[in-house]
Amino acid sequence: INELKIYGKKIKVLIVDDDENIRRDLKELLIHFFCKVDVACDGEEAIKKYKNNKYCIVITDYDMPNKNGIDFAKEIKLINRNQIIIVMSAHFGGFIVEFIDIGISSFIKKPIDIESFMLTLLTHCENIIFKRELDRIKLNKNIQKENISSIKSPIKSIVIDIAKNTNINTTIEEKSIKNNDKESLISDGMWENM
């Protein structure tokens, strides 16, 4: 539970259920773990909220008026195919295959076993945090590559200028510098003349 509090600090959750008591109870529980918890009474209201907010986790009931859980989940997946969606239902029948086909993340049986529910949320939160960290590392690597590229460019110019001023055949050196091939620069004698 403590881990969920740590992970949930930057995670927003949307709860969708036509049962007012379930919406209220889940929100009261989850507000202690997540930075933002919104509720909606059906799929139509949920879509409106979803389009105006970025939720990490969507928890939805299957059987709702106006727009049921399957139609709601399909629409969400069109907006964000990677969205984590947890489906709640008292009865999982033949429709479970359709949920699996559209990429539902987890299923929770009603009445909700709180311990199992919290473990499911913890697993998804760990995955969200892991993905964020991986994305951050990839971004840092890209920034480093850009910084290295910008540094190499002036060095290339300086080396080429030096080569021109020392009457070395610059065609060979320019090719070697462009290829960042230090060994061929050494074998051509360019490093030795510097």
Side-chain angles (χ1 to χ4, degrees), residues 35-87:
C35 69
K36 183 176 183 178
V37 179
D38 289 335
V39 295
C41 64
D42 61 33
E44 285 184 10
E45 180 185 2
I47 285 293
K48 290 175 188 170
K49 287 189 176 192
Y50 187 85
K51 288 179 178 179
N52 292 321
N53 294 282
K54 185 174 182 179
Y55 296 103
C56 298
I57 300 173
V58 174
I59 304 166
T60 184
D61 187 23
Y62 162 68
D63 188 22
M64 298 180 292
N66 301 324
K67 188 180 291 254
N68 67 29
I70 289 178
D71 294 335
F72 167 64
K74 284 180 181 177
E75 195 166 339
I76 292 297
K77 288 292 188 171
L78 288 174
I79 297 168
N80 178 3
R81 66 182 178 87
N82 296 316
Q83 179 63 58
I84 295 171
I85 302 175
I86 301 171
V87 176

Short mmCIF file of all heavy atoms in Angstrom, two decimals, residues 35-87:
data_model
loop_
_atom_site.label_atom_id
_atom_site.label_comp_id
_atom_site.label_asym_id
_atom_site.label_seq_id
_atom_site.Cartn_x
_atom_site.Cartn_y
_atom_site.Cartn_z
N CYS A 35 -3.06 11.29 -7.40
CA CYS A 35 -3.10 12.76 -7.38
C CYS A 35 -4.46 13.30 -7.82
O CYS A 35 -4.87 14.37 -7.38
CB CYS A 35 -1.99 13.34 -8.23
SG CYS A 35 -2.16 13.09 -10.00
N LYS A 36 -5.17 12.55 -8.67
CA LYS A 36 -6.48 13.00 -9.13
C LYS A 36 -7.35 11.78 -9.42
O LYS A 36 -6.90 10.85 -10.07
CB LYS A 36 -6.34 13.85 -10.39
CG LYS A 36 -7.66 14.42 -10.89
CD LYS A 36 -7.44 15.34 -12.08
CE LYS A 36 -8.77 15.93 -12.51
NZ LYS A 36 -8.62 16.86 -13.62
N VAL A 37 -8.58 11.82 -8.92
CA VAL A 37 -9.55 10.75 -9.18
C VAL A 37 -10.85 11.41 -9.61
O VAL A 37 -11.46 12.14 -8.84
CB VAL A 37 -9.79 9.85 -7.94
CG1 VAL A 37 -10.82 8.78 -8.25
CG2 VAL A 37 -8.48 9.24 -7.44
N ASP A 38 -11.24 11.17 -10.85
CA ASP A 38 -12.51 11.68 -11.37
C ASP A 38 -13.48 10.53 -11.54
O ASP A 38 -13.08 9.37 -11.67
CB ASP A 38 -12.31 12.37 -12.72
CG ASP A 38 -11.58 13.69 -12.59
OD1 ASP A 38 -11.64 14.32 -11.51
OD2 ASP A 38 -10.95 14.11 -13.58
N VAL A 39 -14.78 10.87 -11.55
CA VAL A 39 -15.81 9.86 -11.75
C VAL A 39 -16.76 10.28 -12.86
O VAL A 39 -16.93 11.47 -13.13
CB VAL A 39 -16.60 9.59 -10.44
CG1 VAL A 39 -15.72 8.99 -9.37
CG2 VAL A 39 -17.28 10.85 -9.93
N ALA A 40 -17.37 9.27 -13.49
CA ALA A 40 -18.39 9.50 -14.51
C ALA A 40 -19.44 8.41 -14.35
O ALA A 40 -19.12 7.28 -13.97
CB ALA A 40 -17.78 9.47 -15.90
N CYS A 41 -20.71 8.75 -14.68
CA CYS A 41 -21.81 7.81 -14.45
C CYS A 41 -22.07 6.89 -15.65
O CYS A 41 -22.80 5.91 -15.53
CB CYS A 41 -23.08 8.55 -14.05
SG CYS A 41 -23.71 9.63 -15.35
N ASP A 42 -21.50 7.20 -16.82
CA ASP A 42 -21.66 6.33 -17.99
C ASP A 42 -20.57 6.63 -19.00
O ASP A 42 -19.76 7.55 -18.82
CB ASP A 42 -23.05 6.49 -18.61
CG ASP A 42 -23.35 7.89 -19.12
OD1 ASP A 42 -22.41 8.58 -19.57
OD2 ASP A 42 -24.52 8.30 -19.07
N GLY A 43 -20.56 5.86 -20.07
CA GLY A 43 -19.52 6.00 -21.08
C GLY A 43 -19.51 7.35 -21.78
O GLY A 43 -18.45 7.88 -22.12
N GLU A 44 -20.68 7.93 -21.99
CA GLU A 44 -20.75 9.24 -22.66
C GLU A 44 -20.10 10.34 -21.82
O GLU A 44 -19.30 11.12 -22.33
CB GLU A 44 -22.20 9.58 -23.00
CG GLU A 44 -22.75 8.80 -24.17
CD GLU A 44 -24.16 9.21 -24.55
OE1 GLU A 44 -24.66 10.23 -24.03
OE2 GLU A 44 -24.75 8.50 -25.37
N GLU A 45 -20.46 10.39 -20.55
CA GLU A 45 -19.85 11.39 -19.66
C GLU A 45 -18.35 11.14 -19.54
O GLU A 45 -17.54 12.08 -19.53
CB GLU A 45 -20.51 11.34 -18.27
CG GLU A 45 -19.92 12.36 -17.31
CD GLU A 45 -20.48 12.24 -15.89
OE1 GLU A 45 -21.31 11.35 -15.61
OE2 GLU A 45 -20.06 13.08 -15.06
N ALA A 46 -17.96 9.87 -19.49
CA ALA A 46 -16.56 9.51 -19.34
C ALA A 46 -15.73 9.95 -20.55
O ALA A 46 -14.62 10.44 -20.39
CB ALA A 46 -16.42 8.01 -19.12
N ILE A 47 -16.28 9.79 -21.75
CA ILE A 47 -15.56 10.21 -22.96
C ILE A 47 -15.29 11.71 -22.92
O ILE A 47 -14.19 12.17 -23.25
CB ILE A 47 -16.34 9.82 -24.24
CG1 ILE A 47 -16.21 8.32 -24.50
CG2 ILE A 47 -15.87 10.60 -25.45
CD1 ILE A 47 -14.81 7.86 -24.87
N LYS A 48 -16.28 12.49 -22.50
CA LYS A 48 -16.09 13.94 -22.40
C LYS A 48 -14.96 14.27 -21.43
O LYS A 48 -14.11 15.11 -21.72
CB LYS A 48 -17.39 14.62 -21.96
CG LYS A 48 -18.48 14.60 -23.02
CD LYS A 48 -19.77 15.17 -22.49
CE LYS A 48 -20.89 14.97 -23.51
NZ LYS A 48 -22.21 15.29 -22.95
N LYS A 49 -14.96 13.61 -20.27
CA LYS A 49 -13.90 13.87 -19.29
C LYS A 49 -12.56 13.40 -19.81
O LYS A 49 -11.55 14.07 -19.62
CB LYS A 49 -14.24 13.19 -17.96
CG LYS A 49 -15.35 13.87 -17.21
CD LYS A 49 -15.53 13.32 -15.83
CE LYS A 49 -16.61 14.14 -15.13
NZ LYS A 49 -16.68 13.89 -13.71
N TYR A 50 -12.56 12.27 -20.47
CA TYR A 50 -11.31 11.70 -20.98
C TYR A 50 -10.65 12.62 -22.01
O TYR A 50 -9.44 12.79 -22.02
CB TYR A 50 -11.57 10.32 -21.60
CG TYR A 50 -10.30 9.60 -21.99
CD1 TYR A 50 -9.60 8.84 -21.06
CD2 TYR A 50 -9.79 9.69 -23.28
CE1 TYR A 50 -8.43 8.19 -21.39
CE2 TYR A 50 -8.62 9.04 -23.63
CZ TYR A 50 -7.95 8.30 -22.69
OH TYR A 50 -6.78 7.67 -23.03
N LYS A 51 -11.46 13.21 -22.86
CA LYS A 51 -10.93 14.09 -23.90
C LYS A 51 -10.33 15.38 -23.32
O LYS A 51 -9.50 16.02 -23.96
CB LYS A 51 -12.00 14.42 -24.94
CG LYS A 51 -12.33 13.23 -25.83
CD LYS A 51 -13.40 13.57 -26.84
CE LYS A 51 -13.67 12.37 -27.74
NZ LYS A 51 -14.74 12.66 -28.72
N ASN A 52 -10.74 15.75 -22.11
CA ASN A 52 -10.25 16.98 -21.49
C ASN A 52 -9.15 16.73 -20.45
O ASN A 52 -8.63 17.68 -19.88
CB ASN A 52 -11.40 17.73 -20.82
CG ASN A 52 -12.38 18.28 -21.84
OD1 ASN A 52 -11.98 18.75 -22.90
ND2 ASN A 52 -13.66 18.19 -21.55
N ASN A 53 -8.83 15.48 -20.20
CA ASN A 53 -7.83 15.12 -19.19
C ASN A 53 -6.98 13.98 -19.70
O ASN A 53 -7.41 13.22 -20.57
CB ASN A 53 -8.51 14.68 -17.88
CG ASN A 53 -9.26 15.81 -17.21
OD1 ASN A 53 -8.66 16.66 -16.57
ND2 ASN A 53 -10.56 15.83 -17.37
N LYS A 54 -5.81 13.84 -19.12
CA LYS A 54 -4.96 12.71 -19.46
C LYS A 54 -4.93 11.77 -18.25
O LYS A 54 -4.29 12.06 -17.24
CB LYS A 54 -3.55 13.18 -19.81
CG LYS A 54 -2.67 12.08 -20.29
CD LYS A 54 -1.34 12.60 -20.77
CE LYS A 54 -0.51 11.44 -21.28
NZ LYS A 54 0.77 11.86 -21.78
N TYR A 55 -5.65 10.66 -18.37
CA TYR A 55 -5.71 9.68 -17.29
C TYR A 55 -4.74 8.55 -17.57
O TYR A 55 -4.64 8.06 -18.70
CB TYR A 55 -7.12 9.12 -17.15
CG TYR A 55 -8.15 10.15 -16.77
CD1 TYR A 55 -9.02 10.67 -17.72
CD2 TYR A 55 -8.25 10.61 -15.46
CE1 TYR A 55 -9.96 11.63 -17.38
CE2 TYR A 55 -9.19 11.57 -15.12
CZ TYR A 55 -10.04 12.07 -16.08
OH TYR A 55 -10.98 13.02 -15.74
N CYS A 56 -4.05 8.12 -16.53
CA CYS A 56 -3.14 6.98 -16.66
C CYS A 56 -3.91 5.67 -16.58
O CYS A 56 -3.57 4.70 -17.25
CB CYS A 56 -2.09 7.01 -15.57
SG CYS A 56 -1.04 8.47 -15.64
N ILE A 57 -4.95 5.67 -15.74
CA ILE A 57 -5.74 4.46 -15.52
C ILE A 57 -7.22 4.81 -15.62
O ILE A 57 -7.68 5.78 -15.03
CB ILE A 57 -5.45 3.84 -14.13
CG1 ILE A 57 -3.97 3.45 -14.02
CG2 ILE A 57 -6.34 2.62 -13.88
CD1 ILE A 57 -3.55 2.99 -12.64
N VAL A 58 -7.95 3.99 -16.38
CA VAL A 58 -9.40 4.12 -16.48
C VAL A 58 -10.00 2.84 -15.92
O VAL A 58 -9.64 1.74 -16.35
CB VAL A 58 -9.85 4.33 -17.95
CG1 VAL A 58 -11.36 4.31 -18.05
CG2 VAL A 58 -9.27 5.61 -18.51
N ILE A 59 -10.92 2.99 -14.98
CA ILE A 59 -11.61 1.86 -14.37
C ILE A 59 -13.07 1.99 -14.77
O ILE A 59 -13.71 3.00 -14.44
CB ILE A 59 -11.47 1.88 -12.83
CG1 ILE A 59 -9.98 1.90 -12.44
CG2 ILE A 59 -12.19 0.69 -12.21
CD1 ILE A 59 -9.73 2.26 -10.98
N THR A 60 -13.59 0.99 -15.46
CA THR A 60 -14.96 1.11 -15.96
C THR A 60 -15.80 -0.13 -15.68
O THR A 60 -15.28 -1.25 -15.68
CB THR A 60 -14.98 1.42 -17.47
OG1 THR A 60 -16.32 1.62 -17.89
CG2 THR A 60 -14.38 0.29 -18.29
N ASP A 61 -17.07 0.11 -15.49
CA ASP A 61 -18.05 -0.97 -15.38
C ASP A 61 -18.37 -1.45 -16.80
O ASP A 61 -18.18 -0.72 -17.77
CB ASP A 61 -19.31 -0.43 -14.69
CG ASP A 61 -20.33 -1.52 -14.39
OD1 ASP A 61 -19.93 -2.69 -14.31
OD2 ASP A 61 -21.51 -1.18 -14.23
N TYR A 62 -18.86 -2.66 -16.90
CA TYR A 62 -19.26 -3.18 -18.21
C TYR A 62 -20.67 -2.72 -18.57
O TYR A 62 -20.91 -2.17 -19.64
CB TYR A 62 -19.18 -4.71 -18.24
CG TYR A 62 -19.98 -5.30 -19.37
CD1 TYR A 62 -19.57 -5.09 -20.69
CD2 TYR A 62 -21.15 -6.01 -19.15
CE1 TYR A 62 -20.30 -5.60 -21.75
CE2 TYR A 62 -21.88 -6.52 -20.20
CZ TYR A 62 -21.46 -6.32 -21.50
OH TYR A 62 -22.19 -6.81 -22.54
N ASP A 63 -21.61 -2.95 -17.65
CA ASP A 63 -23.03 -2.72 -17.94
C ASP A 63 -23.46 -1.34 -17.47
O ASP A 63 -23.65 -1.11 -16.27
CB ASP A 63 -23.87 -3.82 -17.27
CG ASP A 63 -25.33 -3.78 -17.68
OD1 ASP A 63 -25.62 -3.22 -18.76
OD2 ASP A 63 -26.17 -4.31 -16.93
N MET A 64 -23.59 -0.40 -18.44
CA MET A 64 -23.98 0.97 -18.11
C MET A 64 -24.95 1.48 -19.17
O MET A 64 -24.93 1.01 -20.31
CB MET A 64 -22.76 1.90 -18.09
CG MET A 64 -21.71 1.57 -17.07
SD MET A 64 -20.30 2.72 -17.14
CE MET A 64 -19.56 2.31 -18.70
N PRO A 65 -25.79 2.45 -18.80
CA PRO A 65 -26.68 3.04 -19.81
C PRO A 65 -25.91 3.97 -20.75
O PRO A 65 -24.76 4.32 -20.48
CB PRO A 65 -27.68 3.84 -18.95
CG PRO A 65 -26.93 4.15 -17.70
CD PRO A 65 -25.99 3.01 -17.47
N ASN A 66 -26.55 4.35 -21.83
CA ASN A 66 -26.03 5.29 -22.83
C ASN A 66 -24.84 4.76 -23.62
O ASN A 66 -24.88 4.73 -24.84
CB ASN A 66 -25.68 6.65 -22.22
CG ASN A 66 -26.88 7.31 -21.57
OD1 ASN A 66 -28.00 7.20 -22.06
ND2 ASN A 66 -26.66 7.97 -20.46
N LYS A 67 -23.79 4.37 -22.96
CA LYS A 67 -22.63 3.79 -23.65
C LYS A 67 -22.04 2.75 -22.70
O LYS A 67 -21.51 3.11 -21.64
CB LYS A 67 -21.61 4.86 -23.99
CG LYS A 67 -20.47 4.38 -24.88
CD LYS A 67 -19.47 5.48 -25.19
CE LYS A 67 -20.05 6.51 -26.09
NZ LYS A 67 -19.63 6.53 -27.46
N ASN A 68 -22.10 1.47 -23.10
CA ASN A 68 -21.62 0.42 -22.20
C ASN A 68 -20.08 0.39 -22.18
O ASN A 68 -19.41 1.12 -22.90
CB ASN A 68 -22.20 -0.94 -22.57
CG ASN A 68 -21.72 -1.45 -23.91
OD1 ASN A 68 -20.62 -1.14 -24.36
ND2 ASN A 68 -22.54 -2.25 -24.56
N GLY A 69 -19.54 -0.49 -21.33
CA GLY A 69 -18.10 -0.56 -21.14
C GLY A 69 -17.32 -0.92 -22.39
O GLY A 69 -16.23 -0.39 -22.62
N ILE A 70 -17.87 -1.81 -23.21
CA ILE A 70 -17.17 -2.20 -24.45
C ILE A 70 -17.09 -1.03 -25.42
O ILE A 70 -16.02 -0.71 -25.95
CB ILE A 70 -17.84 -3.42 -25.13
CG1 ILE A 70 -17.59 -4.68 -24.30
CG2 ILE A 70 -17.31 -3.62 -26.55
CD1 ILE A 70 -18.25 -5.94 -24.83
N ASP A 71 -18.22 -0.37 -25.65
CA ASP A 71 -18.22 0.77 -26.58
C ASP A 71 -17.33 1.90 -26.07
O ASP A 71 -16.60 2.53 -26.84
CB ASP A 71 -19.65 1.28 -26.82
CG ASP A 71 -20.50 0.26 -27.55
OD1 ASP A 71 -19.94 -0.60 -28.27
OD2 ASP A 71 -21.74 0.30 -27.40
N PHE A 72 -17.38 2.14 -24.77
CA PHE A 72 -16.54 3.16 -24.15
C PHE A 72 -15.06 2.80 -24.32
O PHE A 72 -14.25 3.63 -24.76
CB PHE A 72 -16.90 3.31 -22.67
CG PHE A 72 -15.91 4.10 -21.87
CD1 PHE A 72 -15.69 5.45 -22.13
CD2 PHE A 72 -15.19 3.51 -20.84
CE1 PHE A 72 -14.78 6.18 -21.39
CE2 PHE A 72 -14.28 4.24 -20.10
CZ PHE A 72 -14.08 5.57 -20.37
N ALA A 73 -14.71 1.55 -24.01
CA ALA A 73 -13.31 1.11 -24.12
C ALA A 73 -12.81 1.19 -25.56
O ALA A 73 -11.67 1.60 -25.80
CB ALA A 73 -13.16 -0.31 -23.58
N LYS A 74 -13.65 0.81 -26.51
CA LYS A 74 -13.26 0.90 -27.92
C LYS A 74 -12.94 2.35 -28.31
O LYS A 74 -11.95 2.62 -28.99
CB LYS A 74 -14.37 0.37 -28.83
CG LYS A 74 -14.47 -1.13 -28.86
CD LYS A 74 -15.61 -1.55 -29.77
CE LYS A 74 -15.78 -3.05 -29.82
NZ LYS A 74 -16.92 -3.45 -30.65
N GLU A 75 -13.77 3.26 -27.86
CA GLU A 75 -13.56 4.67 -28.19
C GLU A 75 -12.28 5.20 -27.55
O GLU A 75 -11.52 5.94 -28.17
CB GLU A 75 -14.77 5.50 -27.77
CG GLU A 75 -14.77 6.87 -28.38
CD GLU A 75 -16.10 7.60 -28.25
OE1 GLU A 75 -17.16 6.96 -28.04
OE2 GLU A 75 -16.09 8.84 -28.37
N ILE A 76 -12.03 4.78 -26.31
CA ILE A 76 -10.80 5.19 -25.63
C ILE A 76 -9.58 4.65 -26.37
O ILE A 76 -8.60 5.36 -26.57
CB ILE A 76 -10.79 4.68 -24.16
CG1 ILE A 76 -11.85 5.39 -23.34
CG2 ILE A 76 -9.41 4.83 -23.53
CD1 ILE A 76 -11.66 6.86 -23.18
N LYS A 77 -9.64 3.40 -26.80
CA LYS A 77 -8.50 2.79 -27.50
C LYS A 77 -8.25 3.46 -28.85
O LYS A 77 -7.12 3.45 -29.34
CB LYS A 77 -8.72 1.29 -27.67
CG LYS A 77 -8.59 0.50 -26.37
CD LYS A 77 -7.17 0.51 -25.87
CE LYS A 77 -6.98 -0.42 -24.69
NZ LYS A 77 -5.59 -0.59 -24.31
N LEU A 78 -9.28 4.05 -29.45
CA LEU A 78 -9.07 4.80 -30.69
C LEU A 78 -8.29 6.09 -30.42
O LEU A 78 -7.51 6.54 -31.24
CB LEU A 78 -10.41 5.13 -31.36
CG LEU A 78 -11.14 3.96 -32.02
CD1 LEU A 78 -12.51 4.41 -32.51
CD2 LEU A 78 -10.32 3.37 -33.16
N ILE A 79 -8.52 6.67 -29.24
CA ILE A 79 -7.82 7.89 -28.85
C ILE A 79 -6.40 7.56 -28.39
O ILE A 79 -5.44 8.24 -28.75
CB ILE A 79 -8.59 8.62 -27.73
CG1 ILE A 79 -9.97 9.06 -28.24
CG2 ILE A 79 -7.80 9.81 -27.20
CD1 ILE A 79 -10.92 9.53 -27.15
N ASN A 80 -6.28 6.52 -27.59
CA ASN A 80 -4.99 6.12 -27.03
C ASN A 80 -4.94 4.60 -26.92
O ASN A 80 -5.47 4.03 -25.98
CB ASN A 80 -4.77 6.75 -25.66
CG ASN A 80 -3.47 6.33 -25.00
OD1 ASN A 80 -2.66 5.60 -25.58
ND2 ASN A 80 -3.27 6.78 -23.78
N ARG A 81 -4.30 3.98 -27.89
CA ARG A 81 -4.28 2.52 -27.93
C ARG A 81 -3.52 1.90 -26.75
O ARG A 81 -3.69 0.73 -26.44
CB ARG A 81 -3.71 2.01 -29.26
CG ARG A 81 -2.27 2.33 -29.49
CD ARG A 81 -1.80 1.83 -30.87
NE ARG A 81 -0.43 2.17 -31.11
CZ ARG A 81 0.61 1.42 -30.73
NH1 ARG A 81 0.39 0.30 -30.11
NH2 ARG A 81 1.83 1.81 -30.98
N ASN A 82 -2.69 2.69 -26.06
CA ASN A 82 -1.93 2.19 -24.92
C ASN A 82 -2.60 2.44 -23.57
O ASN A 82 -2.01 2.16 -22.53
CB ASN A 82 -0.53 2.81 -24.91
CG ASN A 82 0.27 2.41 -26.12
OD1 ASN A 82 0.27 1.24 -26.51
ND2 ASN A 82 0.93 3.37 -26.74
N GLN A 83 -3.80 2.99 -23.60
CA GLN A 83 -4.49 3.33 -22.35
C GLN A 83 -4.72 2.09 -21.49
O GLN A 83 -5.18 1.06 -21.98
CB GLN A 83 -5.84 3.97 -22.66
CG GLN A 83 -6.65 4.34 -21.44
CD GLN A 83 -5.96 5.39 -20.57
OE1 GLN A 83 -5.67 6.46 -21.03
NE2 GLN A 83 -5.70 5.06 -19.32
N ILE A 84 -4.40 2.21 -20.21
CA ILE A 84 -4.69 1.14 -19.26
C ILE A 84 -6.16 1.24 -18.89
O ILE A 84 -6.61 2.27 -18.38
CB ILE A 84 -3.80 1.25 -18.01
CG1 ILE A 84 -2.34 1.02 -18.39
CG2 ILE A 84 -4.25 0.25 -16.94
CD1 ILE A 84 -1.36 1.31 -17.28
N ILE A 85 -6.89 0.16 -19.15
CA ILE A 85 -8.32 0.11 -18.83
C ILE A 85 -8.57 -1.14 -18.00
O ILE A 85 -8.22 -2.25 -18.41
CB ILE A 85 -9.21 0.09 -20.09
CG1 ILE A 85 -8.94 1.33 -20.96
CG2 ILE A 85 -10.68 -0.01 -19.71
CD1 ILE A 85 -9.68 1.33 -22.29
N ILE A 86 -9.19 -0.93 -16.85
CA ILE A 86 -9.59 -2.03 -15.98
C ILE A 86 -11.11 -2.11 -16.03
O ILE A 86 -11.79 -1.12 -15.81
CB ILE A 86 -9.12 -1.79 -14.53
CG1 ILE A 86 -7.59 -1.65 -14.48
CG2 ILE A 86 -9.61 -2.91 -13.61
CD1 ILE A 86 -7.04 -1.20 -13.14
N VAL A 87 -11.63 -3.30 -16.33
CA VAL A 87 -13.08 -3.49 -16.45
C VAL A 87 -13.60 -4.22 -15.21
O VAL A 87 -13.03 -5.23 -14.78
CB VAL A 87 -13.43 -4.30 -17.73
CG1 VAL A 87 -14.92 -4.58 -17.78
CG2 VAL A 87 -12.98 -3.54 -18.96
#
